[in-house]
Amino acid sequence: MHEGLDIKCLQRDKRGEPADPVMATAAGTVVYMNDRPSLSNYGRYMVVRHLIGGVEVYSLYAHLQSFRSDLKAGISVQAGEPIAVMGRTSNTAERISKERAHVHFELNLFYSDHFAAWFKTHFPGERNDHGLWNGENLAGFDARLILLEERERGGIST
């Protein structure tokens, strides 16, 4: 199952690399940044925590070329604020092809603060390079339906 939206690249630099800015979907706080693409199917990725209607929701942005230089965990971001540049990173030597460059976007709920211990018990000998922010500790839901509903309510312009 593919728990997210792949948003294709529209802007490219002189080398044909993606150049689109990636913006925060809502106000929140950066909770995790993986700058080691080889350690994840997501490549270089970021997770932002949002409090929406009293519910914690986590947005995830993957396959990034780079993060905004001043960002780190604990920094607040506003809706629509640039946080990264779209890319094509992955955990393979070939990376994602230039033609398929995109940002993988997810909206998630967080399973457990005890994930690292659970993982160690259930997968002894396997590495958990991302601690609490391992994709298996995030429950994705259909971001497309949420964005369409928000647009119908007038919250998103096209």
Side-chain angles (χ1 to χ4, degrees):
M1 185 169 115
H2 189 262
E3 293 181 336
L5 297 173
D6 287 345
I7 302 167
K8 75 178 190 172
C9 164
L10 297 177
Q11 301 174 30
R12 297 189 181 268
D13 66 16
K14 292 178 183 179
R15 296 173 297 134
E17 294 292 341
D20 302 76
V22 174
M23 285 144 320
T25 192
T29 303
V30 175
V31 294
Y32 186 71
M33 297 168 68
N34 174 50
D35 201 22
R36 296 182 60 197
S38 64
L39 295 180
S40 173
N41 291 340
Y42 289 133
R44 183 174 289 111
Y45 74 99
M46 174 187 302
V47 180
V48 179
R49 176 189 176 269
H50 312 278
L51 190 58
I52 300 172
V55 176
E56 285 185 356
V57 175
Y58 294 83
S59 56
L60 184 144
Y61 311 84
H63 309 307
L64 303 172
Q65 179 186 121
S66 61
F67 303 119
R68 196 177 79 204
S69 62
D70 64 323
L71 287 184
K72 62 182 180 180
I75 299 288
S76 295
V77 295
Q78 297 304 311
E81 182 177 338
I83 56 174
V85 175
M86 190 180 295
R88 54 190 193 97
T89 61
S90 69
N91 63 348
T92 63
E94 296 87 35
R95 304 189 344 165
I96 296 168
S97 69
K98 285 184 181 181
E99 298 76 33
R100 291 188 51 239
H102 64 279
V103 63
H104 173 83
F105 172 72
E106 292 181 12
L107 291 175
N108 298 284
L109 298 176
F110 181 78
Y111 278 125
S112 173
D113 286 326
H114 306 287
F115 177 79
W118 176 87
F119 188 91
K120 189 173 183 175
T121 299
H122 289 83
F123 300 97
E126 288 193 33
R127 293 172 34 177
N128 176 12
D129 295 308
H130 309 289
L132 293 176
W133 308 109
N134 181 311
E136 300 209 15
N137 197 29
L138 297 168
F141 47 91
D142 194 339
R144 183 185 64 82
L145 293 177
I146 292 168
L147 294 170
L148 287 171
E149 184 175 318
E150 186 65 17
R151 184 171 72 184
E152 285 179 19
R153 292 188 330 178
I156 297 176
S157 61
T158 55

